[in-house]
């Protein structure tokens, strides 16, 4: 618009000048070096204008000839770059839309057009992942390791792949290297805690937890909870290897950090009893029992006393009942002890009270055992079995990652290898994590709901728990 206005203005000026000259006729005479030229003013003006135009044209031509090849090359390169970035953008859009084929095509185009390996490698890796071509994705991730700016991202991709394959050893290596590269980054810090723990490296996991906490990659309450979990496992290992003093210190620390942890309380009580302090052991269990009765505490209550006589054990469990008379757990523990001591009447009385308070499978199983012990496989036993078949399930240590039930607490799920995933709950009541989930990087931190926790390690097949550690690029 401005250009055309400018053009019309110039034409207008020329026309005005021409008209002005025509209206003022006259001649110009040039006498120079024996030459005598005479012409009309208008002709001279036209001549001068023509010469000026020719000079301008010549100057432009000279400029174009001078910078010709360079300018052409620059234009070509700029064109390629534009096309490359367009392909890159379209590729990213295709990745976001889940169009694997288009993503791969644009990735290849961008790779050919752009000299930007960090960006094209990432797109190519994503496209390969989308197509399910793990081998190609691995190749790109490995190529990313060779460049400083993409190394961290490449490690993340390789870590994800290793977890998918269930190769925790390789995953651990990548997580360690990623943490060295970026000590303040969140995902390597959290992944390291889980991977070290899943490998049974309690001390290394604790050190990783320290680093994660320093990097503020893990909330303080979750860090405290996890430290207690690790300390219980460390204490168990120390105790198993005869380092009772260290074991006791570890258990005490775990109990102090998380007084609600059944595992820590049981571990501390057992160690106190083992080092000859049965009274202190009882105190720990008593305190934990008041906070929330639990079958593991009831068992430990009997065990720390070191009683062989079944009748003495009945007396011991009666003390537990005195801590809370309407406690189903206490009646159940006492009913079971009485059953072992062949005190049928006492056993029946407490089991019936437990059934009235919480009619779950465990009490029905003990009632069936009692009926069988008293009257053999008669009608009473069969009736008890029928009631058992329809009884509500009891709470158990359930892995919130894979849903499997464990006989006892451990820091690592023996089935899926998930760290700190066991909760004391009714099986089937927890929503499962990981399975089929598409968790992003933030999902590295397990949920912070930890109802109750209690024991040692294992390494199982890789599964959904690992998927939580598997942030996709
Ligand atoms: Zn599990």
């Amino acid at each position: 618009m401005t250009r055309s206005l400018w053009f019309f203005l110039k034409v207008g000026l020329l026309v005005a000048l021409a008209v002005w000259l025509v209206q003022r006729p006259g001649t110009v005479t040039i006498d120079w070096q024996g030459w005598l030229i005479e012409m009309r003013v208008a002709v001279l003006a036209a001549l001068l204008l023509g010469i000026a135009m020719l000079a301008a044209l010549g100057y432009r031509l000279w400029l174009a000839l001078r910078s010709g090849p360079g300018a052409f090359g620059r234009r070509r390169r700029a064109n390629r770059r534009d096309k490359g970035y367009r392909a890159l953008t379209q590729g990213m859009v295709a990745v976001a839309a889940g169009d694997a084929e288009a993503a791969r095509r644009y990735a290849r185009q961008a790779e050919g057009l752009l000299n930007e390996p960090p960006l094209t490698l990432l797109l190519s890796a994503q496209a390969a992942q989308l197509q399910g071509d793990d081998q190609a994705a691995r190749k790109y991730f490995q190529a990313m390791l060779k460049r400083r700016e993409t190394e961290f991202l490449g490690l993340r991709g390789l870590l994800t792949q290793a977890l998918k394959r269930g190769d925790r050893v390789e995953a651990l290596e990548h997580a360690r290297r990623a943490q060295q590269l970026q000590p303040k980054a969140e995902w390597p810090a959290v992944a390291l805690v889980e991977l070290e723990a899943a490998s049974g490296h309690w001390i290394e996991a604790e050190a990783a937890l320290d680093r994660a906490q320093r990097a503020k990659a893990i909330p303080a309450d979750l860090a405290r909870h996890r430290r207690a979990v690790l300390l219980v496992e460390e204490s168990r290992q120390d105790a198993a290897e005869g380092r009772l003093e260290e074991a006791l210190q570890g258990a005490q620390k775990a109990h102090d950090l998380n007084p609600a942890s059944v595992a820590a309380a049981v571990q501390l009580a057992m160690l106190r009893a083992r080092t000859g302090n049965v009274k202190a052991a009882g105190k720990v269990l008593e305190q934990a029992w008041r906070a929330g009765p639990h079958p593991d505490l009831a068992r430990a209550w009997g065990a720390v006393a070191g009683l062989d006589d079944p009748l003495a054990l009945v007396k011991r469990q009666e003390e537990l009942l005195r801590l809370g008379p309407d406690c189903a757990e206490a009646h159940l523990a006492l009913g079971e002890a009485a059953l072992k001591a062949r005190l049928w009447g006492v056993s029946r009385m407490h089991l019936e009270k437990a059934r009235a308070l919480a009619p779950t499978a465990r009490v029905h199983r003990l009632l069936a055992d009692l009926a069988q012990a008293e009257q053999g496989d008669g009608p009473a036993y069969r009736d008890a079995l029928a009631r058992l078949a329809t009884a509500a399930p009891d709470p158990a240590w359930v892995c919130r990652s894979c849903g499997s039930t464990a006989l006892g607490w451990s820091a690592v799920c023996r089935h899926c290898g998930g760290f700190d995933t066991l909760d004391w709950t009714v099986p089937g009541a927890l929503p499962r994590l990981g399975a089929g989930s598409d968790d992003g990087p933030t999902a590295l931190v397990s949920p912070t709901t930890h109802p109750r926790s209690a024991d040692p390690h294992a390494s199982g097949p890789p599964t959904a728990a690992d998927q939580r550690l598997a942030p996709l690029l």
Side-chain angles (χ1 to χ4, degrees), residues 399 401-402 404 413 415-416 421:
C399 173
S401 179
C402 68
S404 64
C413 170
H415 182 71
C416 72
T421 54

Side-chain angles (χ1 to χ4, degrees), residues 245-281:
E245 194 49 46
E246 286 93 329
L248 197 58
Q249 278 174 15
Q252 183 67 59
K253 245 164 107 179
H255 182 62
D256 292 345
L257 279 170
N258 186 7
S261 163
V262 171
V266 169
Q267 177 69 5
L268 180 60
M270 296 303 267
L271 281 165
R272 284 215 191 284
R274 203 166 146 187
T275 48
N277 201 344
V278 177
K279 212 169 167 189

Side-chain angles (χ1 to χ4, degrees), residues 100-177:
E101 190 49 54
R104 195 71 176 256
R105 197 172 60 246
Y106 288 126
R108 235 178 273 132
Q109 269 181 30
E111 231 176 278
L113 291 164
L114 286 177
N115 187 24
E116 296 268 12
L119 296 173
T120 51
L121 275 174
L122 179 60
L123 177 60
S124 300
Q126 283 180 314
Q129 268 192 326
L130 209 56
Q131 274 197 323
D133 188 348
D134 286 343
Q135 278 215 324
R138 186 178 170 81
K139 196 184 79 193
Y140 290 118
F141 290 139
Q142 275 168 340
M144 285 164 85
L145 296 192
K146 290 180 190 135
R147 307 183 68 92
R148 203 168 46 83
E149 61 270 51
T150 51
E151 186 181 358
F152 188 64
L153 222 47
L155 285 169
R156 187 166 181 166
L158 288 172
L159 171 75
T160 307
Q161 286 200 316
L163 288 173
K164 241 165 108 182
R165 286 196 310 277
D167 189 344
R168 287 206 204 106
V169 178
E170 195 193 304
L172 189 57
E173 272 174 34
H174 296 317
R176 281 177 179 162
R177 192 169 151 189

